Amino acid sequence: MNKYVVGVDLGGTKISTALADFEGNVLSQSIIPTNAHEGEERVLERIIKSIQSVMSEGDATLEDIKAIGIGSPGPLDSKKGIIITTPNLPFNNFNLVKPLKEKFNVPVFLDNDANVAAIGEYMLGAGKGKKNMVYFTVSTGVGGGAIVDGNICRGNTSNALEIGHTTVSPFGPRCNCGNIGCLEALSSGTAIGKRGQEAVNSKVETSLKKYDKVTSYEVFKEAANGDEVAKDIIDNALTFLGIGIANAISIFDPEMIVIGGGVSKAGDIVFEKVREVVKKRCFKAMAESCQIVPAGLGTDAGVVGAVALALLELDK
């Protein structure tokens, strides 16, 4: 009798896999290196090995497994089960779903990692009980996912909610994607660290100069200690993040915005500024009816999200 699902969080450095029941409770978990440099087939073998490992640890047989959910960096085609290409993985137009379906003889669902995290927060995290929710992850980059009337919004090519690559300043810095003024280029942890390093290399007086290398962590730390340069960098980045979130509220009219990723861990300074910007830039009724909260799943967001993906798709 089917009673479990498996979730796989496929990353550039590690593969995190979990066996869970239909309530989303994780019963066993495995984390192994991806070893992406070994190529497509070897990474596929390691995914299979990780699934078998959590099944064995959880005393589950093939007959016990109802479905497998996989979250992966994109771009990808979730309908066809193909990872098109991604910088930190060896896949190139590789059908990941087909061999796993053949191996385990169960439905296998693939989605990009930001969508998967959004599904996880919606079903099992901060957004539980909501029907309309937008998830932002703000860390090295900025990504997102949207739940609309209880369904993940994937878009025509399965790559909707590339929110980090929406333009929030036509005169901003050039983003790695090639565009100018992307939210990611202005508000990500990487962007904050870059502005901090630029300040260190300038003639401005700042306590950031005591560090050999500046990341967003040091900028937030010195801002909290009262350094005016660091405070300006943080205020600027969070203002643009607030603009991006205000835009999402105006487009989706969600009940909740969930913010995850490393930058969100700075706490109140992030959420207070974002709420302030949203209040200024959204229709009052929309702003007041939308909660802006921290993500609830923490470091397990990817693998719990993959479990949630399997559960969501099975429920259709």
Side-chain angles (χ1 to χ4, degrees):
M1 178 183 171
N2 302 131
K3 52 187 176 181
Y4 304 126
V5 296
V6 172
V8 180
D9 178 25
L10 175 59
T13 58
K14 63 183 173 66
I15 300 166
S16 181
T17 306
L19 177 76
D21 62 22
F22 290 170
E23 300 300 313
N25 299 305
V26 172
L27 307 174
S28 60
Q29 192 167 353
S30 162
I31 299 175
I32 61 173
T34 307
N35 291 354
H37 63 279
E38 295 180 359
E40 294 177 339
E41 293 297 334
R42 290 302 301 274
V43 173
L44 173 61
E45 289 172 11
R46 294 178 73 75
I47 293 169
I48 291 170
K49 177 183 174 183
S50 72
I51 294 170
Q52 292 171 331
S53 174
V54 296
M55 287 173 59
S56 175
E57 188 181 335
D59 293 324
T61 65
L62 279 177
E63 289 71 31
D64 293 326
I65 305 302
K66 183 74 170 175
I68 297 169
I70 305 170
S72 167
L76 50 79
D77 187 329
S78 63
K79 294 173 186 173
K80 295 180 180 177
I82 293 172
I83 297 178
I84 298 167
T85 182
T86 188
N88 300 314
L89 289 168
F91 301 117
N92 185 16
N93 291 317
F94 186 84
N95 194 316
L96 185 62
V97 166
K98 185 179 178 183
L100 293 176
K101 285 176 75 171
E102 291 173 350
K103 177 70 178 178
F104 295 101
N105 195 32
V106 295
V108 179
F109 306 104
L110 173 71
D111 213 329
N112 77 56
D113 47 10
N115 276 354
V116 164
I119 293 167
E121 289 293 340
Y122 160 65
M123 294 189 69
L124 304 167
K128 194 171 183 179
K130 307 298 182 186
K131 283 293 183 185
N132 292 279
M133 184 205 89
V134 179
Y135 171 78
F136 279 72
T137 177
V138 189
S139 52
T140 304
V142 177
I147 304 293
V148 179
D149 293 331
N151 295 298
I152 187 73
C153 176
R154 292 193 174 96
N156 182 49
T157 65
S158 306
N159 295 293
L161 269 292
E162 281 289 353
I163 199 83
H165 299 290
T166 56
T167 302
V168 291
S169 171
F171 312 108
R174 190 170 295 278
C175 181
N176 286 337
C177 75
N179 187 27
I180 290 174
C182 285
L183 181 61
E184 179 168 300
L186 288 155
S187 294
S188 66
T190 304
I192 292 168
K194 188 176 180 180
R195 299 291 94 75
Q197 193 64 53
E198 287 170 356
V200 168
N201 296 336
S202 74
K203 294 181 179 180
V204 70
E205 289 187 18
T206 170
S207 58
L208 291 168
K209 291 192 174 184
K210 67 186 178 185
Y211 300 104
D212 293 331
K213 184 180 179 182
V214 175
T215 68
S216 61
Y217 175 82
E218 286 77 29
V219 182
F220 272 109
K221 182 178 179 180
E222 293 309 311
N225 289 336
D227 183 79
E228 291 300 326
V229 172
K231 284 165 67 177
D232 283 347
I233 292 169
I234 296 300
D235 188 72
N236 186 65
L238 296 181
T239 295
F240 282 113
L241 179 59
I243 290 170
I245 288 173
N247 290 343
I249 292 173
S250 295
I251 293 166
F252 290 100
D253 189 20
E255 300 161 80
M256 180 177 282
I257 295 282
V258 177
I259 308 175
V263 168
S264 71
K265 291 179 172 54
D268 290 345
I269 188 174
V270 174
F271 291 88
E272 287 171 6
K273 185 63 181 183
V274 165
R275 290 176 186 130
E276 175 192 318
V277 175
V278 165
K279 188 176 179 180
K280 289 178 182 177
R281 292 179 176 271
C282 285
F283 286 128
K284 184 179 180 182
M286 295 170 76
E288 289 181 350
S289 68
C290 180
Q291 297 173 263
I292 300 173
V293 302
L297 295 178
T299 56
D300 284 335
V303 71
V304 173
V307 164
L309 171 65
L311 294 172
L312 182 71
E313 293 298 330
L314 283 173
D315 199 38
K316 291 183 177 178

